[in-house]
Amino acid sequence: MSYGTRVQAISQVTDRKPLPSKIPQRLEALWATDVFTLSKMQASLPKDVFKSVKNTILTGGKLDVSIAGAVAAAMKDWATSKGALYYAHVFYPMTNATAEKHDGFISVQSDGSVITEFTGKVLVQGEPDGSSFPNGGLRSTFEARGYTAWDVTSPAYVMETDNGVTLCIPTVFISWTGEALDKKTPLLRSISSMSKAATRVLKLLGHTEVAPVNSSCGAEQEYFLVDAHFAHSRPDLLLTGRTLFGKPAAKGQQFDDHYFGAIPERVQVFMQEVEERMYRLGIPAKTRHNEVAPGQFEIAPFFEAANVASDHQQLIMTLLKSTAKKHGFVCLLHEKPFAGINGSGKHVNWSVGNATQGNLLDPGDTPHANMQFLLFCGAVIRGVHKYGPLLRAVVATASNDHRLGANEAPPAIISVYLGSQLEKVFDQISQGQIEGSDAPGLMDLGVDTLPVFPKDPGDRNRTSPFAFTGNRFEFRAVGSNQSVSGPLVAMNTILADSLTWVADNLESRMKAGEDLKTAAQGVLKEIMDKHRNVIFGGNGYSPEWHKMAVEERGLANLRTTADALPVLKADYIEELFARMGVLTPVELESRFDVYAEQYLLAIEVEAKLVVSMAKTIIYPAAVRYLSELSLAIANAAAIGIEMDKERAQTVSNLIKLLMDGVSKLSAAMAKDDFDSIEEHMQYSAQTIRPLMDQVREYADTLEGEVADNFWPLPTYQEMLFVK
Ligand code: ADP
Ligand code: MG
């Protein structure tokens, strides 16, 4: 890294032109062209085969494996007609990544000729070696078999890249003993567990026809775009996805002038291509806009069934990164790429519903009279209160710690925001008498030519980690880099537990002679008596709330991953996952091991890089400047002029402090005698991280002292504002 690199990057970026923008095609012409959709299956499969597949996909009926051969043949014909020579079982290991192993359709015949072949057997089951994926002790290398198995409920698609076309088949990834090694298996289990419990409640409420209940998910993805020339001249961005050094620019986001502003042309062309690719893959891209920080953007698809939404979310992350590359950007999905500038999250909008009763979290216009809604909403409240620490644990990563528990949205304390209308209804429940709910009312803007429109019954609260937003909950603590699967598993599982409790409680009350309405009110009152402490409508960032939440409400404030992850090992969490049939104790423990290991590794890599960048990039630049400065002072003295020596002293001092900080950090990193992984995590959080911050502080101060033309790293100003 040298000054030259930075200068070169600046001139290269200034010369950039947006890629030519294509005339957008009609949505109908693009939509799902790269997906093996139900209608394509219908056109190419024998009637009975199609009926069977459709039944599994739409109503969760058991998969009849004997139809796999016919489906595989049709799938291959379609994929090869799109130019595919390879197929891949796509799976989602515990690393938040997407993994795929490619195999050719090629089959060599005995006479040496080749044909394309894709059998039912290889559609249904694959055996990627994959033994290098972290598995938390679920597989030892001598018994390292891992299998992928076809998930028929998430559609197959072709992925076109510059390297050709591949048929991609979403799969689960399991060990040879059947343990889940991935993020999809528990998600599917959590949905069926929740469906069972929800069905019991709906039947008790008098519904005779109840379709399987699914959960829905719409995830808003925030990200940063930085020009590739800048990103590539910063080892920290390259290796860790965030800047480990960098002085805030004179202008940050104070003006809010980026938020929802006009989208820069280069970015607009990039977004257009991302959306086109999403449409072709059947991903319903819906909104896009500039976010609060300069260089930050958001993309949100329309919501879908949780399993499909989760696969699509992984694809969105892949598309953002690969398309950014084409347009000369690097897409940063890290939660906090720039200190002092807003971080990126992923708001996971989540609800539950089915084909017969619709969205079960839709309150309608008169929520107080909607017993079904109140019971489902009450069940969520109970779950979030009982298992708040679990919700914190599933969003715990080294990178997300820079948002949660730091001075940034949302807080690490998990509370529920209901909005004024619902909060009042639940207050009435507490008092034992449901009287009514505020009518939504009309909003009159006082100008005759403007429309009068209905006012939302509750305002929004941006500071809540878990907010009711009209007909769903929005879990805002999820990291921008994360798979949405873990959070969805947690929400579905705690809801399954709560709904089971609701059903048991309703049943025993009705057995004891209560009518349905009295029983339901009794259940709701019990929920409020025990769990109202989790409901909070105020400012989630305020120090008063942090104090009150912990001291008066008894809520946990797990600030770091080191504090939060061990929740996965708690008995009550192990019992929850086992009872709901989502994760066995062994599977759960393996997750703790994998996530803890990733946390330690992330901090280790960052700490090593802090040391090497400080020594080899920042120190040399500062010393060079100091020697020029000292020379000037000496030259001036030679002709009898006394120059201000203080600057030289300041710089020397900072250089010394920087290198002392580096020595301290290096010494601290040498420690390796920990009694447990929990102790090691605490050490990383409490000792290593603060020492890294200390080194950074001196380096950033130096950045403000050293002559700009000596500074080797692209600055915040350049990375955030030059487009
Ligand atoms: P915000 O105001 O929070 O920025 P957006 O409009 O950007 O809202 O995103 C809202 C997200 O919530 C979208 O992805 C939308 O599809 C999703 N959503 C809407 N209804 C539901 C639902 N019933 N279940 C899950 N997600 C939903
Ligand atoms: Mg949102």
Side-chain angles (χ1 to χ4, degrees):
M1 207 63 39
S2 69
Y3 168 59
T5 333
R6 175 179 158 216
V7 172
Q8 229 171 32
I10 296 173
S11 73
Q12 282 164 326
V13 175
T14 323
D15 284 347
R16 278 242 204 249
K17 302 262 177 312
L19 291 186
S21 98
K22 285 190 271 177
I23 296 170
Q25 292 189 53
R26 279 172 48 245
L27 179 57
E28 295 81 357
L30 291 172
W31 182 247
T33 49
D34 292 353
V35 185
F36 194 52
T37 54
L38 268 181
S39 56
K40 285 179 192 127
M41 286 193 215
Q42 182 164 26
S44 57
L45 289 173
K47 257 206 177 86
D48 53 328
V49 173
F50 176 69
K51 217 174 123 194
S52 165
V53 177
K54 187 175 154 197
N55 176 46
T56 303
I57 295 175
L58 294 184
T59 59
K62 198 162 176 57
L63 176 68
D64 171 8
V65 184
S66 70
I67 51 105
V71 178
M75 218 183 243
K76 187 204 76 181
D77 286 347
W78 170 75
T80 49
S81 79
K82 306 274 303 176
L85 290 177
Y86 281 80
Y87 67 91
H89 275 198
V90 175
F91 56 102
Y92 311 92
M94 289 185 241
T95 52
N96 287 317
T98 305
E100 47 195 62
K101 183 190 173 210
H102 295 206
D103 277 294
F105 287 125
I106 185 168
S107 170
V108 182
Q109 306 302 103
S110 51
D111 64 358
S113 62
V114 293
I115 56 165
T116 58
E117 188 178 66
F118 188 52
T119 61
K121 189 164 172 279
V122 289
L123 166 64
V124 169
Q125 186 182 340
E127 192 183 346
D129 172 19
S131 53
S132 295
F133 287 112
N135 59 71
L138 285 178
R139 305 158 80 191
S140 12
T141 25
F142 62 89
E143 48 183 17
R145 290 203 138 167
Y147 298 102
T148 50
W150 180 32
D151 169 19
V152 67
T153 61
S154 183
Y157 54 92
V158 291
M159 189 60 152
E160 198 182 325
T161 66
D162 292 343
N163 305 323
V165 184
T166 307
L167 167 67
C168 295
I169 301 148
T171 61
V172 295
F173 182 42
I174 48 178
S175 74
W176 78 281
T177 42
E179 274 125 357
L181 294 171
D182 67 344
K183 287 187 173 272
K184 187 191 266 285
T185 312
L187 177 57
L188 293 172
R189 290 183 192 151
S190 74
I191 294 167
S192 74
S193 176
M194 184 275 298
S195 177
K196 257 183 228 147
T199 303
R200 271 185 71 197
V201 172
L202 290 171
K203 292 223 159 125
L204 285 166
L205 289 174
H207 297 289
T208 45
E209 204 193 324
V210 179
V213 180
N214 203 340
S215 68
S216 54
C217 164
E220 303 157 51
Q221 173 77 55
E222 293 176 332
Y223 60 94
F224 278 86
L225 289 177
V226 173
D227 192 280
H229 291 306
F230 288 140
H232 291 160
S233 34
R234 298 225 25 158
D236 46 3
L237 280 185
L238 215 55
L239 291 194
T240 72
R242 77 170 175 116
T243 52
L244 297 169
F245 298 99
K247 191 170 93 51
K251 178 179 164 181
Q253 61 195 45
Q254 308 92 323
F255 296 102
D256 278 339
D257 50 356
H258 180 73
Y259 193 40
F260 284 85
I263 300 173
E265 195 186 342
R266 242 180 99 196
V267 177
Q268 176 120 22
V269 181
F270 153 83
M271 284 177 168
Q272 207 178 320
E273 181 167 344
V274 170
E275 282 149 22
E276 182 182 313
R277 300 195 65 192
M278 284 171 69
Y279 289 147
R280 281 169 48 188
L281 288 165
I283 308 173
K286 179 99 174 104
T287 44
R288 61 173 181 205
H289 59 78
N290 287 2
E291 257 305 325
V292 177
Q296 192 186 28
F297 306 91
E298 178 182 303
I299 185 160
F302 200 72
F303 70 94
E304 299 176 282
N307 177 37
V308 175
S310 172
D311 289 359
H312 281 172
Q313 226 295 304
Q314 294 294 116
L315 272 173
I316 291 174
M317 291 196 281
T318 306
L319 289 180
L320 284 172
K321 284 193 198 150
S322 63
T323 312
K325 219 182 234 173
K326 265 179 77 176
H327 291 253
F329 289 118
V330 167
C331 174
L332 301 174
L333 294 177
H334 191 286
E335 284 75 5
K336 192 76 176 174
F338 302 98
I341 298 281
N342 263 30
S344 299
K346 183 138 61 196
H347 293 177
V348 175
N349 294 271
W350 163 82
S351 187
V352 293
N354 65 3
T356 40
Q357 279 74 43
N359 181 355
L360 297 166
L361 287 173
D362 186 350
D365 289 338
T366 50
H368 64 281
N370 186 343
M371 196 48 86
Q372 181 174 302
F373 163 75
L374 290 176
L375 283 173
F376 276 85
C377 187
V380 175
I381 294 169
R382 174 187 178 275
V384 176
H385 188 230
K386 266 194 96 165
Y387 301 108
L390 172 65
L391 290 173
R392 173 63 184 92
V394 295
V395 296
T397 63
S399 45
N400 210 14
D401 277 2
H402 294 283
R403 294 169 66 229
L404 313 174
N407 298 321
E408 175 146 359
I413 304 166
I414 305 290
S415 63
V416 175
Y417 173 78
L418 288 179
S420 53
Q421 186 198 38
L422 273 189
E423 203 169 310
K424 274 186 204 157
V425 174
F426 277 97
D427 272 345
Q428 293 168 10
I429 292 170
S430 289
Q431 268 126 46
Q433 188 66 39
I434 304 181
E435 276 153 7
S437 38
D438 296 349
L442 291 178
M443 178 117 68
D444 186 345
L445 301 176
V447 178
D448 286 343
T449 52
L450 291 177
V452 171
F453 54 76
K455 208 165 133 187
D456 279 317
D459 196 5
R460 289 183 171 255
N461 180 323
R462 299 254 165 218
T463 68
S464 173
F466 205 92
F468 185 75
T469 46
N471 58 2
R472 60 191 185 266
F473 280 93
E474 182 172 342
F475 187 20
R476 302 204 181 104
V478 183
S480 52
N481 229 336
Q482 265 193 287
S483 153
V484 295
S485 181
L488 289 170
V489 168
M491 292 189 281
N492 289 335
T493 307
I494 62 181
L495 183 59
D497 170 74
S498 271
L499 290 172
T500 306
W501 176 85
V502 168
D504 290 347
N505 200 334
L506 277 178
E507 266 169 12
S508 69
R509 282 169 185 273
M510 283 155 74
K511 252 189 213 133
E514 287 180 21
D515 63 27
L516 177 62
K517 194 171 165 208
T518 318
Q521 283 183 356
V523 168
L524 281 169
K525 170 110 176 47
E526 231 179 294
I527 289 177
M528 285 310 282
D529 288 348
K530 284 197 204 133
H531 305 292
R532 60 177 309 169
N533 269 354
V534 78
I535 300 171
F536 177 65
N539 179 1
Y541 303 162
S542 69
E544 296 79 38
W545 166 241
H546 289 204
K547 200 163 138 61
M548 173 164 88
V550 175
E551 290 172 13
E552 290 165 36
R553 305 258 194 126
L555 303 179
N557 183 5
L558 305 170
R559 298 188 52 133
T560 67
T561 297
D563 297 331
L565 266 190
V567 170
L568 296 183
K569 285 180 120 175
D571 287 345
Y572 77 110
I573 297 297
E574 187 184 302
E575 190 270 336
L576 167 76
F577 279 113
R579 188 161 40 84
M580 292 297 119
V582 175
L583 288 168
T584 64
V586 178
E587 287 172 330
L588 183 61
E589 193 172 331
S590 73
R591 273 143 187 89
F592 169 81
D593 289 343
V594 171
Y595 303 152
E597 195 59 39
Q598 287 188 332
Y599 174 74
L600 294 176
L601 278 177
I603 294 184
E604 190 186 312
V605 168
E606 286 189 353
K608 279 186 183 157
L609 203 52
V610 164
V611 170
S612 80
M613 286 177 72
K615 277 191 189 163
T616 65
I617 298 177
I618 293 166
Y619 175 80
V623 167
R624 239 176 268 145
Y625 173 61
L626 180 62
S627 88
E628 186 173 279
L629 193 57
S630 309
L631 188 65
I633 293 172
N635 287 346
I639 54 169
I641 298 172
E642 194 173 331
M643 257 175 75
D644 165 23
K645 286 195 188 118
E646 257 172 50
R647 281 193 57 70
Q649 275 162 356
T650 307
V651 175
S652 322
N653 251 334
L654 283 167
I655 293 176
K656 180 163 173 6
L657 287 169
L658 175 81
M659 293 322 283
D660 285 351
V662 167
S663 306
K664 270 192 214 150
L665 175 58
S666 301
M669 283 161 62
K671 182 174 160 66
D672 63 359
D673 52 335
F674 299 101
D675 287 338
S676 64
I677 196 158
E678 285 89 339
E679 189 193 316
H680 194 172
M681 284 167 67
Q682 286 297 345
Y683 182 77
S684 295
Q686 306 298 334
T687 305
I688 301 292
R689 271 261 160 99
L691 286 172
M692 286 165 56
D693 291 344
Q694 189 67 76
V695 173
R696 175 183 190 144
E697 203 183 309
Y698 299 132
D700 292 357
T701 315
L702 269 173
E703 190 182 333
E705 297 292 335
V706 169
D708 183 65
N709 66 351
F710 279 80
W711 199 255
L713 296 167
T715 62
Y716 271 32
Q717 184 170 308
E718 288 149 5
M719 288 185 287
L720 291 167
F721 291 97
V722 184
K723 291 263 143 45

